[in-house]
Amino acid sequence: MSLPVLQNFIHGKFVASQSGNSFAVKNPASDEDIYLVEEADDALLQQAIESAKQGFAQWSKMTPIERSRILLKAVALLRERNDELARIEVQDTGKPIQEADCVDIETGADVIEYFAGLAPAQLGSQQAVGEDFFYTRREPLGICAGIGAWNYPLQIACWKSGPALAAGNAMIFKPSEETPMGAIKLAQIFIEAGMPKGVFNVVHGAARVGQWLTTHNDIEKVSFTGEVGTGKKVMQSASTNLKEVTMELGGKSPLIVFDDADVSQAVSAAMLGNFYTQGEICTNCTRVYVHRDVYVAFLDELKTRTENNVIAGDPLDPKVNLGALISKKHQQLVLEYIEKGKLEGANVLTGGHALSPESAPNGYFVAPTVFIDCTDDMSIVKEEIFGPVMSVLVFDNEDEVIKRANNTELGLAAGVFSRDIQRAHRVIHQLQAGICWINAYGNSPAEMPVGGYKQSGVGRENGVETLNSYTQTKSVYVGMSQIESPF
Ligand code: NAD
């Protein structure tokens, strides 16, 4: 049986690539090819640029309220098609439908809605200078590139296009080659909502296509989500014409559980922050530091709940809460980390192996895994694994745990559980991380800026500052009196 073919989406329609190169997308829960994707060749990429120039010319001239109206129509369509879109995300990513159904599309739509509301409220400033004055305008940058990772494909496309388009830019989006369908659905929805052609184009491919975009002179900004190493390459390519960059990269985030914490709540947070989306979340708290006095109670509850409450299987089954990892290769990588953990002396409290659930026997599953007796120098404690693998470490005092939590080149997120509010804030203020939670973990509303410290990122997504980052300030000085000149 021949597979359906997904083409590139440029200027409001699907466009055939002349090169004839294509690649297959697999369903991670079944190991089956589900569709083919045409890779964008250079001529097609140039076509995407020409189209975006036309889209930008039209879109940037519209008033923010007019743009907002179209974006809000797209938001309504996203919500209306939630179930259909959620199933697409499940087939591309392997994540459970019970997550995609209430998180992926909704949080994507929320962000577009937030920026659609914010854009018309964005004001310039005016300042008197004696008789003269100046004013500032916030103008769009032009054509931006969005490059996405595979863990939240549609959500990432929404988080990047929302602020970019609300501010009047055009965007060429390259989804991950592993999960390209969600961004195409978004592009179609934008057109249906009345957006001018060329404002949001989607091109397919891997590193070559990404690099083509990040080096192109007509692109003014790159917003990238992916690994630290790829992010460094993107920044280097972006320097060709000094593009602006936003980098949402990897993490190895600490969760600190103090002796006065509500242990059950802390266990909930640790499980959410390690097993949700089968561990493929950048902000995951993969280093869980537990105070010695509550260590045994914490481990007891963690083991019981992990062994009794996690259900792996066909991710389209609404009861399943642990899906398949994105690819066989990634599953192997996660299993190699588990073996390294064992070799380096950590002990497995639970899990520690691949899974082959009855309802999805060929899927790339890994059992939810908890390592104990970990030390700070182990590979599993230092490196991002991006799978359901938690390392639990014991600590004795506040200064010690802050130092250990900060001993990493990454700084994406951090969490603290304590009933002492002064301690919770005091500790959080000393942690080198961009996204922090107190007695919570993982919540990311559209209003809250998110992004990393240190090598976890550059710039922010969501929140007011992100809209500003898709604009440039023009200052206009107005002379009201005679010019004084020695000439
Ligand atoms: P990746 O770096 O392998 O790929 C990301 C994207 O970059 C893909 O679309 C890929 O095709 C493209 N790409 C690859 N090489 C490129 C190049 N040379 N130039 C331009 N583009 C290139 O990352 P991944 O495996 O897709 O995603 C997992 C990583 O993403 C993890 O490290 C995770 O922590 C991170 N992530 C971060 C956030 C965040 O918001 N901070 C969110 C999700 C994922």
Side-chain angles (χ1 to χ4, degrees):
M1 202 182 69
S2 67
L3 291 171
V5 177
L6 187 69
Q7 295 181 325
N8 295 270
F9 192 87
I10 297 170
H11 220 63
K13 59 179 194 303
F14 286 106
V15 179
S17 168
Q18 299 308 314
S19 74
N21 294 339
S22 65
F23 53 91
V25 170
K26 273 190 191 299
N27 178 342
S30 68
D31 187 40
E32 282 164 351
D33 289 347
I34 43 178
Y35 56 95
L36 294 175
V37 185
E38 285 191 0
E39 191 197 355
D41 54 37
D42 288 4
L44 194 142
L45 288 167
Q46 191 54 40
Q47 202 178 327
I49 297 268
E50 298 310 323
S51 150
K53 280 184 191 167
Q54 289 177 37
F56 176 69
Q58 209 180 332
W59 186 242
S60 58
K61 281 203 187 74
M62 290 166 68
T63 65
I65 283 260
E66 288 170 329
R67 289 198 293 262
S68 172
R69 222 170 275 143
I70 291 171
L71 289 168
L72 291 174
K73 252 188 222 162
V75 167
L77 290 170
L78 281 167
R79 296 221 170 99
E80 218 174 279
R81 294 185 195 156
N82 184 74
D83 296 358
E84 173 203 337
L85 295 169
R87 286 179 79 86
I88 286 173
E89 292 299 78
V90 170
Q91 276 164 8
D92 269 11
T93 62
K95 70 172 65 188
I97 189 82
Q98 62 162 252
E99 292 183 16
D101 227 12
C102 63
V103 174
D104 292 55
I105 323 306
E106 274 192 25
T107 55
D110 282 354
V111 164
I112 300 180
E113 189 171 36
Y114 171 74
F115 286 111
L118 203 58
Q122 208 178 28
L123 300 177
S125 60
Q126 188 274 348
Q127 171 79 55
V129 188
E131 296 291 303
D132 296 353
F133 68 97
F134 73 87
Y135 64 93
T136 60
R137 290 162 54 82
R138 286 213 169 261
E139 297 186 347
L141 301 167
I143 307 173
C144 304
I147 298 182
W150 43 256
N151 58 342
Y152 278 80
L154 180 60
Q155 188 214 57
I156 292 174
C158 292
W159 283 24
K160 296 197 185 302
S161 61
L165 304 191
N169 300 282
M171 175 166 268
I172 301 179
F173 190 82
K174 191 200 84 60
S176 164
E177 61 278 20
E178 320 241 29
T179 55
M181 189 63 90
I184 288 287
K185 293 289 169 189
L186 179 64
Q188 289 178 302
I189 282 175
F190 279 148
I191 290 292
E192 210 178 316
M195 190 174 282
K197 293 171 184 167
V199 175
F200 186 75
N201 293 327
V202 178
V203 295
H204 299 303
R208 187 191 67 78
V209 173
Q211 221 169 359
W212 193 96
L213 292 172
T214 53
T215 44
H216 200 285
N217 272 334
D218 287 330
I219 288 179
E220 304 294 344
K221 172 171 173 124
V222 183
S223 176
F224 173 81
T225 298
E227 288 177 6
V228 176
T230 320
K232 288 180 182 174
K233 286 185 202 158
V234 168
M235 252 180 115
Q236 213 162 8
S237 312
S239 71
T240 46
N241 66 328
L242 298 173
K243 289 176 180 56
E244 305 245 1
V245 291
T246 299
M247 296 274 148
E248 293 292 339
L249 310 177
K252 192 73 197 175
S253 304
L255 175 70
I256 303 175
V257 182
F258 282 101
D259 49 349
D260 64 345
D262 178 327
V263 170
S264 291
Q265 289 283 295
V267 168
S268 295
M271 289 180 71
L272 272 171
N274 278 276
F275 305 147
Y276 206 70
T277 316
Q278 54 286 335
E280 296 167 330
I281 297 187
C282 52
T283 49
N284 271 358
C285 49
T286 46
R287 296 183 289 144
V288 180
Y289 291 93
V290 183
H291 192 275
R292 194 175 299 279
D293 291 351
V294 287
Y295 186 67
V296 172
F298 181 90
L299 290 187
D300 278 352
E301 186 168 340
L302 176 63
K303 183 172 159 67
T304 307
R305 286 173 59 182
T306 303
E307 289 173 358
N308 294 335
N309 301 350
V310 176
I311 305 168
D314 177 358
L316 284 170
D317 175 349
K319 287 194 296 299
V320 163
N321 58 20
L322 187 89
L325 295 181
I326 188 68
S327 63
K328 199 168 201 72
K329 189 171 152 216
H330 189 55
Q331 181 198 31
Q332 284 313 317
L333 185 82
V334 173
L335 291 171
E336 278 165 29
Y337 268 112
I338 290 175
E339 287 317 306
K340 247 190 240 176
K342 293 174 187 167
L343 278 175
E344 290 178 14
N347 287 310
V348 175
L349 178 72
T350 184
H353 49 80
L355 282 180
S356 179
E358 214 173 296
S359 57
N362 300 321
Y364 319 129
F365 293 85
V366 170
T369 298
V370 178
F371 275 110
I372 54 171
D373 306 316
C374 301
T375 54
D376 294 354
D377 57 350
M378 290 176 176
S379 312
I380 51 166
V381 178
K382 290 199 307 205
E383 294 165 29
E384 185 182 49
I385 301 174
F386 225 55
V389 183
M390 181 192 315
S391 297
V392 184
L393 303 111
V394 68
F395 77 92
D396 291 295
N397 71 64
E398 194 178 303
D399 289 343
E400 167 214 337
V401 78
I402 292 169
K403 209 185 265 172
R404 290 170 66 192
N406 285 337
N407 185 21
T408 165
E409 288 177 341
L410 301 173
L412 190 57
V416 167
F417 270 76
S418 170
R419 288 191 174 96
D420 176 344
I421 55 162
Q422 289 177 330
R423 169 158 68 186
H425 291 285
R426 183 172 66 233
V427 172
I428 283 286
H429 294 179
Q430 294 173 79
L431 292 177
Q432 296 156 352
I435 314 167
C436 294
W437 290 281
I438 294 175
N439 297 334
Y441 207 88
N443 321 53
S444 197
E447 301 86 337
M448 186 172 98
V450 288
Y453 276 23
K454 302 198 266 191
Q455 294 193 27
S456 284
V458 177
R460 293 292 177 268
E461 286 193 323
N462 300 344
V464 177
E465 65 191 275
T466 297
L467 188 65
N468 293 342
S469 78
Y470 278 98
T471 67
Q472 46 197 340
T473 302
K474 177 176 281 174
S475 295
V476 184
Y477 188 97
V478 183
M480 297 292 288
S481 40
Q482 279 300 109
I483 292 174
E484 281 177 31
S485 167
F487 309 110

